[in-house]
Coordinates of all heavy atoms in Angstrom, one line a residue:
M1 N -164.9 97.5 -4.8 CA -165.4 97.6 -6.2 C -165.2 99.0 -6.7 O -165.3 100.0 -5.9 CB -166.9 97.2 -6.2 CG -167.4 97.3 -7.6 SD -169.0 96.6 -7.8 CE -168.6 94.9 -7.7
N2 N -164.8 99.1 -7.9 CA -164.6 100.5 -8.5 C -165.8 101.2 -8.7 O -166.9 100.7 -9.1 CB -163.9 100.3 -9.9 CG -162.5 99.8 -9.7 OD1 -161.8 99.9 -8.7 ND2 -162.0 99.1 -10.8
K3 N -165.8 102.5 -8.4 CA -167.0 103.4 -8.6 C -166.9 104.0 -10.0 O -165.9 104.1 -10.6 CB -167.0 104.5 -7.5 CG -167.2 103.9 -6.1 CD -167.6 105.0 -5.2 CE -168.0 104.3 -3.9 NZ -168.9 105.0 -3.1
I4 N -168.1 104.3 -10.5 CA -168.2 104.8 -11.8 C -168.5 106.3 -11.7 O -169.4 106.8 -10.9 CB -169.4 104.1 -12.6 CG1 -169.0 102.6 -12.8 CG2 -169.6 104.7 -14.0 CD1 -170.1 101.8 -13.3
H5 N -167.9 107.1 -12.6 CA -168.1 108.6 -12.6 C -169.3 108.8 -13.5 O -169.3 108.4 -14.6 CB -166.8 109.2 -13.2 CG -166.9 110.7 -13.2 ND1 -167.0 111.5 -14.3 CD2 -166.9 111.6 -12.1 CE1 -167.1 112.7 -14.0 NE2 -167.0 112.8 -12.7
V6 N -170.3 109.4 -12.9 CA -171.6 109.7 -13.6 C -171.8 111.2 -13.8 O -171.6 112.0 -12.8 CB -172.8 109.2 -12.7 CG1 -174.1 109.5 -13.4 CG2 -172.7 107.7 -12.5
N7 N -172.0 111.6 -15.0 CA -172.4 113.0 -15.4 C -173.8 112.9 -15.8 O -174.2 112.2 -16.7 CB -171.5 113.5 -16.5 CG -170.1 113.7 -16.1 OD1 -169.9 114.4 -15.2 ND2 -169.2 113.1 -16.8
T8 N -174.7 113.8 -15.3 CA -176.1 113.9 -15.7 C -176.6 115.3 -15.3 O -175.9 116.1 -14.8 CB -176.9 112.7 -15.0 OG1 -178.2 112.7 -15.6 CG2 -177.0 112.9 -13.5
E9 N -177.9 115.5 -15.6 CA -178.6 116.7 -15.2 C -179.7 116.4 -14.2 O -180.5 115.5 -14.4 CB -179.2 117.3 -16.5 CG -179.9 118.6 -16.2 CD -180.5 119.2 -17.5 OE1 -179.8 119.3 -18.5 OE2 -181.7 119.5 -17.4
V10 N -179.7 117.1 -13.1 CA -180.7 116.9 -12.0 C -181.3 118.2 -11.7 O -180.6 119.2 -11.4 CB -180.0 116.3 -10.8 CG1 -181.1 116.1 -9.7 CG2 -179.4 114.9 -11.0
N11 N -182.6 118.2 -11.9 CA -183.4 119.5 -11.6 C -182.8 120.7 -12.3 O -182.7 121.8 -11.8 CB -183.5 119.7 -10.1 CG -184.3 118.7 -9.4 OD1 -185.1 117.9 -10.0 ND2 -184.1 118.5 -8.1
G12 N -182.4 120.5 -13.6 CA -181.9 121.6 -14.4 C -180.4 121.9 -14.2 O -179.9 122.8 -14.9
D13 N -179.7 121.2 -13.2 CA -178.3 121.5 -13.0 C -177.5 120.3 -13.4 O -177.8 119.2 -13.2 CB -178.1 121.7 -11.5 CG -178.8 122.9 -10.9 OD1 -178.9 123.9 -11.7 OD2 -179.3 122.9 -9.8
D14 N -176.3 120.6 -14.1 CA -175.4 119.6 -14.4 C -174.7 119.1 -13.1 O -174.2 119.9 -12.3 CB -174.3 120.1 -15.4 CG -174.9 120.3 -16.8 OD1 -175.9 119.6 -17.1 OD2 -174.4 121.2 -17.5
V15 N -174.7 117.8 -12.9 CA -174.1 117.2 -11.7 C -173.2 116.1 -12.1 O -173.3 115.5 -13.2 CB -175.1 116.8 -10.6 CG1 -175.9 117.9 -10.1 CG2 -176.0 115.7 -11.2
E16 N -172.2 115.8 -11.2 CA -171.4 114.6 -11.4 C -171.2 114.0 -10.0 O -171.1 114.7 -9.0 CB -170.1 114.9 -12.1 CG -169.3 116.0 -11.5 CD -168.1 116.2 -12.4 OE1 -168.2 116.9 -13.5 OE2 -167.0 115.8 -12.0
F17 N -171.1 112.6 -10.0 CA -170.9 112.0 -8.7 C -170.3 110.6 -9.0 O -170.3 110.1 -10.1 CB -172.1 111.8 -7.9 CG -173.3 111.1 -8.6 CD1 -173.5 109.8 -8.5 CD2 -174.2 111.8 -9.5 CE1 -174.5 109.1 -9.2 CE2 -175.2 111.2 -10.1 CZ -175.4 109.8 -10.0
L18 N -169.7 110.0 -8.0 CA -169.2 108.6 -8.1 C -170.2 107.7 -7.6 O -170.8 107.9 -6.5 CB -167.9 108.5 -7.3 CG -166.7 109.3 -7.8 CD1 -165.5 109.1 -6.9 CD2 -166.3 108.8 -9.2
C19 N -170.4 106.6 -8.3 CA -171.5 105.7 -8.0 C -171.0 104.2 -8.1 O -170.4 103.9 -9.0 CB -172.7 105.9 -9.0 SG -174.1 105.0 -8.6
D20 N -171.4 103.4 -7.1 CA -171.1 102.0 -7.1 C -172.0 101.4 -8.2 O -173.1 101.8 -8.4 CB -171.5 101.4 -5.8 CG -171.1 99.9 -5.7 OD1 -171.8 99.1 -6.3 OD2 -170.1 99.6 -5.0
P21 N -171.5 100.5 -9.0 CA -172.3 99.9 -10.1 C -173.6 99.3 -9.7 O -174.5 99.2 -10.4 CB -171.4 98.9 -10.7 CG -170.0 99.3 -10.4 CD -170.1 100.0 -9.0
R22 N -173.7 98.9 -8.4 CA -174.9 98.2 -7.9 C -175.8 99.2 -7.1 O -176.8 98.8 -6.5 CB -174.5 97.0 -7.0 CG -173.8 96.0 -7.8 CD -173.4 94.8 -7.0 NE -172.3 95.4 -6.2 CZ -171.7 94.7 -5.2 NH1 -172.1 93.5 -4.9 NH2 -170.7 95.3 -4.5
E23 N -175.4 100.5 -7.0 CA -176.2 101.4 -6.2 C -177.4 101.9 -6.9 O -177.3 102.2 -8.1 CB -175.2 102.6 -5.9 CG -175.8 103.6 -4.9 CD -174.8 104.7 -4.6 OE1 -173.8 104.8 -5.3 OE2 -175.1 105.5 -3.7
T24 N -178.5 102.0 -6.2 CA -179.7 102.4 -6.9 C -179.7 103.9 -7.1 O -178.9 104.7 -6.4 CB -181.0 102.1 -6.1 OG1 -181.0 102.8 -4.8 CG2 -181.1 100.6 -5.8
L25 N -180.5 104.4 -8.0 CA -180.6 105.8 -8.3 C -181.1 106.6 -7.1 O -180.7 107.7 -6.7 CB -181.4 106.1 -9.5 CG -181.6 107.6 -10.0 CD1 -180.2 108.2 -10.2 CD2 -182.4 107.6 -11.2
L26 N -182.0 105.9 -6.3 CA -182.5 106.5 -5.1 C -181.4 106.7 -4.1 O -181.3 107.8 -3.6 CB -183.6 105.5 -4.5 CG -184.1 105.9 -3.1 CD1 -184.8 107.3 -3.2 CD2 -185.0 104.8 -2.5
D27 N -180.6 105.7 -3.9 CA -179.4 105.9 -3.0 C -178.5 106.9 -3.5 O -177.9 107.7 -2.7 CB -178.7 104.6 -2.8 CG -179.6 103.6 -2.0 OD1 -180.5 104.0 -1.2 OD2 -179.4 102.4 -2.1
A28 N -178.2 107.0 -4.8 CA -177.3 108.0 -5.3 C -177.8 109.4 -5.1 O -177.1 110.3 -4.7 CB -177.0 107.7 -6.8
L29 N -179.1 109.6 -5.4 CA -179.7 110.9 -5.2 C -179.7 111.3 -3.7 O -179.3 112.5 -3.4 CB -181.2 110.9 -5.6 CG -181.4 110.8 -7.1 CD1 -182.9 110.6 -7.4 CD2 -180.9 112.1 -7.8
R30 N -180.0 110.4 -2.8 CA -180.0 110.8 -1.4 C -178.6 110.9 -0.8 O -178.3 111.8 0.0 CB -180.8 109.7 -0.6 CG -182.3 109.8 -1.0 CD -183.1 108.7 -0.2 NE -183.1 109.0 1.2 CZ -183.8 109.8 1.9 NH1 -184.7 110.6 1.2 NH2 -183.7 110.0 3.2
D31 N -177.8 109.9 -1.1 CA -176.5 109.8 -0.4 C -175.4 110.7 -1.1 O -174.6 111.3 -0.4 CB -176.0 108.4 -0.3 CG -177.0 107.5 0.5 OD1 -177.7 108.1 1.3 OD2 -176.9 106.3 0.3
Q32 N -175.3 110.6 -2.4 CA -174.3 111.3 -3.1 C -174.6 112.8 -3.4 O -173.7 113.7 -3.3 CB -174.0 110.6 -4.5 CG -173.7 109.2 -4.4 CD -172.3 108.9 -3.7 OE1 -171.4 109.7 -3.7 NE2 -172.2 107.8 -3.0
L33 N -175.9 113.1 -3.7 CA -176.3 114.4 -4.1 C -177.1 115.1 -3.0 O -177.5 116.3 -3.2 CB -177.1 114.4 -5.4 CG -176.4 113.8 -6.6 CD1 -177.3 113.7 -7.8 CD2 -175.1 114.6 -6.9
N34 N -177.3 114.5 -1.9 CA -178.1 115.0 -0.8 C -179.4 115.5 -1.1 O -179.9 116.6 -0.6 CB -177.2 116.1 -0.1 CG -177.6 116.3 1.3 OD1 -178.1 115.4 2.0 ND2 -177.4 117.5 1.8
L35 N -180.1 114.9 -2.1 CA -181.5 115.2 -2.5 C -182.4 114.2 -1.8 O -182.5 113.0 -2.2 CB -181.6 115.1 -4.0 CG -180.8 116.1 -4.8 CD1 -180.9 115.9 -6.3 CD2 -181.3 117.5 -4.5
T36 N -183.0 114.6 -0.7 CA -183.7 113.7 0.1 C -185.3 113.7 -0.1 O -186.0 113.1 0.7 CB -183.4 113.9 1.6 OG1 -183.8 115.3 1.9 CG2 -181.9 113.7 1.9
G37 N -185.7 114.3 -1.1 CA -187.2 114.3 -1.4 C -187.8 113.0 -1.7 O -188.9 112.6 -1.3
A38 N -187.0 112.1 -2.5 CA -187.5 110.8 -2.8 C -187.2 109.9 -1.6 O -186.1 109.9 -1.0 CB -186.8 110.3 -4.0
K39 N -188.1 109.1 -1.1 CA -188.0 108.2 0.0 C -188.0 106.8 -0.4 O -188.6 106.4 -1.4 CB -189.1 108.5 1.0 CG -189.4 109.9 1.4 CD -188.3 110.5 2.3 CE -188.7 111.9 2.8 NZ -187.8 112.9 2.5
E40 N -187.4 105.9 0.4 CA -187.5 104.5 0.2 C -188.6 104.0 1.1 O -188.6 104.1 2.3 CB -186.2 103.7 0.5 CG -186.4 102.3 0.2 CD -185.1 101.5 0.2 OE1 -184.0 102.1 0.5 OE2 -185.1 100.3 -0.1
G41 N -189.6 103.4 0.5 CA -190.8 102.9 1.2 C -190.7 101.4 1.2 O -190.3 100.7 2.2
C42 N -191.0 100.8 0.1 CA -191.1 99.3 0.0 C -189.8 98.7 -0.6 O -189.5 97.5 -0.3 CB -192.3 98.9 -0.9 SG -192.2 99.5 -2.6
G43 N -189.1 99.4 -1.4 CA -187.9 98.8 -2.1 C -188.2 97.9 -3.2 O -187.3 97.3 -3.8
T44 N -189.5 97.8 -3.6 CA -189.8 96.9 -4.7 C -190.6 97.7 -5.8 O -191.1 97.1 -6.8 CB -190.7 95.8 -4.2 OG1 -191.9 96.3 -3.6 CG2 -190.0 94.9 -3.2
G45 N -190.8 99.0 -5.7 CA -191.4 99.8 -6.7 C -192.9 99.8 -6.6 O -193.6 100.3 -7.5
D46 N -193.5 99.3 -5.5 CA -194.9 99.2 -5.4 C -195.6 100.5 -4.8 O -196.7 100.8 -5.1 CB -195.3 98.0 -4.6 CG -195.0 96.7 -5.3 OD1 -195.2 96.6 -6.5 OD2 -194.6 95.8 -4.6
C47 N -194.9 101.1 -3.9 CA -195.5 102.2 -3.1 C -195.4 103.6 -3.8 O -196.3 104.4 -3.5 CB -194.9 102.3 -1.7 SG -193.2 102.9 -1.6
G48 N -194.4 103.8 -4.6 CA -194.2 105.1 -5.3 C -193.6 106.2 -4.5 O -193.4 107.3 -5.0
A49 N -193.1 105.9 -3.3 CA -192.4 106.9 -2.4 C -191.1 107.4 -3.1 O -190.7 108.5 -2.8 CB -192.2 106.4 -1.0
C50 N -190.5 106.6 -3.9 CA -189.2 106.9 -4.5 C -189.4 107.5 -6.0 O -188.4 107.6 -6.7 CB -188.3 105.7 -4.5 SG -189.0 104.4 -5.6
S51 N -190.6 107.8 -6.4 CA -190.9 108.2 -7.8 C -190.2 109.5 -8.1 O -190.1 110.4 -7.4 CB -192.4 108.4 -8.0 OG -193.1 107.2 -7.8
I52 N -189.5 109.4 -9.3 CA -188.9 110.6 -9.9 C -189.2 110.6 -11.4 O -189.7 109.6 -11.9 CB -187.3 110.6 -9.7 CG1 -186.7 109.3 -10.4 CG2 -187.0 110.6 -8.3 CD1 -185.2 109.4 -10.6
T53 N -188.9 111.7 -12.0 CA -189.0 111.8 -13.5 C -187.7 111.6 -14.1 O -186.7 112.3 -13.8 CB -189.6 113.2 -13.9 OG1 -190.8 113.4 -13.2 CG2 -189.9 113.2 -15.4
L54 N -187.6 110.6 -15.0 CA -186.3 110.3 -15.7 C -186.6 110.3 -17.2 O -187.4 109.5 -17.7 CB -185.8 108.9 -15.2 CG -184.5 108.4 -15.9 CD1 -183.3 109.3 -15.6 CD2 -184.2 107.0 -15.5
D55 N -186.0 111.3 -17.9 CA -186.3 111.5 -19.3 C -187.8 111.5 -19.6 O -188.3 110.8 -20.5 CB -185.7 110.3 -20.1 CG -184.2 110.4 -20.1 OD1 -183.6 111.6 -20.0 OD2 -183.5 109.4 -20.3
D56 N -188.5 112.4 -18.8 CA -189.9 112.6 -19.0 C -190.8 111.3 -18.8 O -191.9 111.3 -19.2 CB -190.3 113.1 -20.4 CG -189.7 114.5 -20.6 OD1 -189.6 115.3 -19.6 OD2 -189.2 114.8 -21.7
R57 N -190.3 110.4 -18.0 CA -191.0 109.2 -17.6 C -191.0 109.1 -16.1 O -189.9 109.3 -15.5 CB -190.5 107.9 -18.2 CG -190.6 107.8 -19.7 CD -190.1 106.5 -20.2 NE -189.3 105.8 -19.2 CZ -188.8 104.6 -19.3 NH1 -189.1 103.9 -20.4 NH2 -188.1 104.1 -18.4
L58 N -192.1 108.7 -15.5 CA -192.2 108.5 -14.1 C -191.6 107.1 -13.8 O -192.1 106.1 -14.4 CB -193.6 108.6 -13.6 CG -193.8 108.6 -12.1 CD1 -193.1 109.8 -11.4 CD2 -195.3 108.5 -11.7
V59 N -190.5 107.1 -13.0 CA -189.9 105.8 -12.6 C -189.7 105.7 -11.1 O -189.7 106.7 -10.4 CB -188.5 105.6 -13.3 CG1 -188.7 105.6 -14.8 CG2 -187.5 106.6 -12.9
C60 N -189.6 104.4 -10.7 CA -189.3 104.2 -9.3 C -187.8 104.1 -9.1 O -187.2 103.2 -9.7 CB -189.9 102.9 -8.8 SG -191.7 102.9 -8.8
S61 N -187.2 105.1 -8.5 CA -185.8 105.2 -8.4 C -185.1 104.1 -7.6 O -183.9 103.9 -7.7 CB -185.3 106.6 -7.9 OG -185.8 106.8 -6.5
C62 N -185.9 103.4 -6.9 CA -185.4 102.2 -6.1 C -185.1 101.0 -7.1 O -184.4 100.1 -6.7 CB -186.3 101.8 -5.0 SG -187.8 101.0 -5.5
L63 N -185.7 101.1 -8.3 CA -185.5 100.0 -9.2 C -184.6 100.4 -10.4 O -184.3 99.5 -11.3 CB -186.9 99.6 -9.9 CG -188.0 99.2 -8.9 CD1 -189.2 98.9 -9.6 CD2 -187.5 98.0 -8.1
V64 N -184.0 101.6 -10.4 CA -183.1 102.0 -11.4 C -181.7 102.2 -10.8 O -181.6 102.7 -9.7 CB -183.6 103.4 -11.9 CG1 -182.6 103.9 -13.0 CG2 -185.0 103.3 -12.5
L65 N -180.7 101.7 -11.5 CA -179.3 101.8 -11.0 C -178.9 103.3 -11.2 O -179.2 103.9 -12.2 CB -178.4 100.9 -11.8 CG -178.6 99.4 -11.5 CD1 -177.7 98.6 -12.4 CD2 -178.4 99.1 -10.0
G66 N -178.0 103.8 -10.3 CA -177.5 105.1 -10.4 C -176.8 105.4 -11.7 O -176.9 106.5 -12.3
V67 N -176.0 104.4 -12.2 CA -175.3 104.6 -13.4 C -176.2 104.7 -14.6 O -175.8 105.2 -15.7 CB -174.3 103.4 -13.6 CG1 -173.2 103.4 -12.5 CG2 -174.9 102.1 -13.7
E68 N -177.4 104.3 -14.5 CA -178.4 104.4 -15.6 C -178.8 105.8 -15.9 O -179.3 106.2 -16.9 CB -179.6 103.5 -15.4 CG -179.3 102.1 -15.5 CD -180.6 101.2 -15.3 OE1 -181.3 101.1 -16.3 OE2 -180.8 100.8 -14.2
A69 N -178.6 106.7 -14.9 CA -178.9 108.1 -15.1 C -178.0 108.8 -16.1 O -178.2 109.9 -16.6 CB -178.8 108.9 -13.7
M70 N -176.8 108.1 -16.4 CA -175.9 108.7 -17.3 C -176.2 108.5 -18.8 O -175.8 109.2 -19.6 CB -174.5 108.0 -17.0 CG -173.4 108.7 -17.7 SD -171.7 108.1 -17.2 CE -171.8 106.4 -17.4
V71 N -177.0 107.5 -19.1 CA -177.3 107.2 -20.5 C -178.8 107.0 -20.7 O -179.6 106.6 -19.8 CB -176.6 105.9 -21.0 CG1 -175.1 106.1 -21.0 CG2 -177.0 104.7 -20.2
R72 N -179.2 107.4 -21.9 CA -180.6 107.1 -22.3 C -180.5 106.0 -23.4 O -179.6 106.0 -24.3 CB -181.2 108.3 -23.0 CG -181.7 109.3 -22.0 CD -182.3 110.5 -22.7 NE -181.3 111.5 -22.8 CZ -181.5 112.7 -23.3 NH1 -182.7 113.0 -23.7 NH2 -180.5 113.5 -23.4
I73 N -181.3 105.0 -23.3 CA -181.3 103.9 -24.2 C -182.5 103.9 -25.1 O -183.6 103.9 -24.6 CB -181.2 102.5 -23.5 CG1 -179.9 102.5 -22.7 CG2 -181.2 101.4 -24.5 CD1 -179.8 101.2 -21.8
Y74 N -182.3 104.0 -26.4 CA -183.4 104.0 -27.4 C -183.3 102.7 -28.2 O -182.2 102.3 -28.6 CB -183.3 105.2 -28.3 CG -183.5 106.5 -27.6 CD1 -182.4 107.3 -27.2 CD2 -184.8 107.0 -27.4 CE1 -182.6 108.5 -26.6 CE2 -185.0 108.2 -26.8 CZ -183.9 109.0 -26.4 OH -184.1 110.2 -25.8
T75 N -184.4 102.1 -28.5 CA -184.4 101.0 -29.4 C -185.0 101.4 -30.7 O -186.1 101.9 -30.8 CB -185.3 99.8 -28.8 OG1 -184.8 99.5 -27.5 CG2 -185.2 98.6 -29.6
H76 N -184.3 101.1 -31.8 CA -184.7 101.4 -33.1 C -185.4 100.1 -33.6 O -184.8 99.1 -33.8 CB -183.6 101.7 -34.0 CG -184.0 102.2 -35.4 ND1 -184.3 101.3 -36.4 CD2 -184.1 103.4 -35.9 CE1 -184.6 102.0 -37.5 NE2 -184.5 103.3 -37.2
Y77 N -186.8 100.1 -33.7 CA -187.5 98.9 -33.9 C -187.3 98.3 -35.3 O -187.5 97.1 -35.4 CB -189.0 99.2 -33.7 CG -189.6 100.2 -34.7 CD1 -190.2 99.8 -35.9 CD2 -189.6 101.5 -34.4 CE1 -190.7 100.7 -36.8 CE2 -190.2 102.5 -35.3 CZ -190.7 102.0 -36.4 OH -191.2 102.9 -37.3
N78 N -186.8 99.0 -36.2 CA -186.6 98.4 -37.6 C -185.3 97.6 -37.6 O -185.2 96.6 -38.3 CB -186.5 99.5 -38.6 CG -187.8 100.2 -38.9 OD1 -188.8 99.5 -38.8 ND2 -187.8 101.4 -39.3
K79 N -184.3 98.0 -36.9 CA -183.0 97.3 -36.9 C -182.6 96.7 -35.6 O -181.6 96.1 -35.5 CB -181.9 98.3 -37.4 CG -182.1 98.8 -38.8 CD -181.0 99.8 -39.2 CE -181.2 100.3 -40.6 NZ -180.2 101.3 -41.0
N80 N -183.4 96.9 -34.6 CA -183.1 96.4 -33.2 C -181.8 96.8 -32.7 O -181.0 96.0 -32.2 CB -183.3 94.9 -33.2 CG -184.7 94.4 -33.4 OD1 -185.6 95.1 -32.9 ND2 -184.9 93.3 -34.0
L81 N -181.4 98.1 -32.9 CA -180.1 98.6 -32.5 C -180.4 99.4 -31.2 O -181.4 100.1 -31.0 CB -179.6 99.5 -33.5 CG -179.2 98.9 -34.9 CD1 -178.8 100.0 -35.8 CD2 -178.2 97.9 -34.7
L82 N -179.4 99.3 -30.3 CA -179.5 100.1 -29.1 C -178.4 101.2 -29.3 O -177.3 101.0 -29.5 CB -179.1 99.3 -27.9 CG -180.1 98.2 -27.5 CD1 -179.6 97.5 -26.2 CD2 -181.4 98.9 -27.1
N83 N -178.9 102.4 -29.1 CA -178.0 103.6 -29.2 C -178.0 104.2 -27.8 O -179.0 104.5 -27.2 CB -178.6 104.6 -30.2 CG -178.6 104.1 -31.6 OD1 -177.7 103.5 -32.0 ND2 -179.8 104.3 -32.2
M84 N -176.8 104.4 -27.3 CA -176.6 105.0 -26.0 C -176.2 106.5 -26.1 O -175.2 106.8 -26.8 CB -175.6 104.2 -25.2 CG -176.0 102.8 -25.0 SD -174.8 101.8 -24.1 CE -175.2 102.3 -22.4
L85 N -177.0 107.4 -25.6 CA -176.8 108.8 -25.7 C -176.5 109.3 -24.3 O -177.1 109.0 -23.3 CB -178.0 109.5 -26.2 CG -178.4 109.0 -27.6 CD1 -179.7 109.7 -28.0 CD2 -177.4 109.3 -28.7
P86 N -175.5 110.2 -24.1 CA -175.1 110.7 -22.8 C -176.1 111.6 -22.2 O -176.9 112.3 -22.9 CB -173.8 111.4 -23.0 CG -173.8 111.8 -24.5 CD -174.6 110.7 -25.2
C87 N -176.1 111.7 -20.9 CA -176.8 112.7 -20.1 C -178.3 112.6 -20.1 O -179.0 113.3 -20.9 CB -176.4 114.1 -20.6 SG -176.8 115.4 -19.4
S88 N -178.8 111.8 -19.2 CA -180.3 111.8 -18.9 C -180.7 113.0 -18.1 O -179.8 113.7 -17.5 CB -180.6 110.5 -18.2 OG -180.4 109.4 -19.0
V89 N -182.0 113.3 -18.0 CA -182.5 114.4 -17.3 C -183.3 113.8 -16.1 O -184.2 113.0 -16.3 CB -183.4 115.3 -18.1 CG1 -184.0 116.4 -17.3 CG2 -182.6 115.9 -19.3
V90 N -182.9 114.1 -14.9 CA -183.5 113.6 -13.7 C -184.2 114.7 -13.0 O -183.6 115.8 -12.8 CB -182.5 112.9 -12.8 CG1 -183.2 112.4 -11.5 CG2 -181.8 111.8 -13.5
S91 N -185.4 114.6 -12.6 CA -186.1 115.5 -11.8 C -186.5 114.9 -10.5 O -187.3 114.0 -10.4 CB -187.4 116.1 -12.4 OG -187.0 116.8 -13.6
A92 N -185.8 115.3 -9.4 CA -186.1 114.7 -8.1 C -187.2 115.5 -7.4 O -187.3 116.7 -7.6 CB -184.8 114.6 -7.3
P93 N -188.0 114.9 -6.6 CA -189.0 115.6 -5.9 C -188.4 116.6 -4.8 O -187.3 116.3 -4.3 CB -189.9 114.5 -5.2 CG -189.0 113.3 -5.2 CD -188.0 113.5 -6.3
P94 N -189.2 117.6 -4.5 CA -188.6 118.6 -3.5 C -188.6 118.0 -2.1 O -189.4 117.0 -1.8 CB -189.6 119.7 -3.6 CG -190.9 119.1 -4.1 CD -190.5 118.0 -5.0
V95 N -187.8 118.5 -1.2 CA -187.8 118.1 0.2 C -188.8 118.9 0.9 O -188.9 120.1 0.8 CB -186.4 118.3 0.8 CG1 -186.3 118.0 2.2 CG2 -185.3 117.6 0.0
Y96 N -189.6 118.2 1.7 CA -190.7 118.9 2.5 C -190.3 118.8 4.0 O -189.8 117.9 4.4 CB -192.0 118.3 2.3 CG -192.5 118.5 0.9 CD1 -192.6 117.5 0.0 CD2 -193.0 119.8 0.5 CE1 -193.1 117.7 -1.3 CE2 -193.4 120.0 -0.8 CZ -193.5 118.9 -1.7 OH -193.9 119.2 -2.9

């Protein structure tokens, strides 16, 4: 399967990596960017071990696709339009 080129900001640094379309953000952070602070616990988003901040929201990175780090999706409630804007901001937890 073809990998997707992802450009985003992680912990204040601009980064880019290749990501399988089905790869989770957790796996991309750990395997592609070598950021091992987020851990996989349950794989279903219940335990919070994989929690990161994505666009100022706490999310379970095991439930987010890696390619989703490249875009922010906003819904305009009046017209029900989806606008995709480049470059999300990801804050991964520190490694202890």
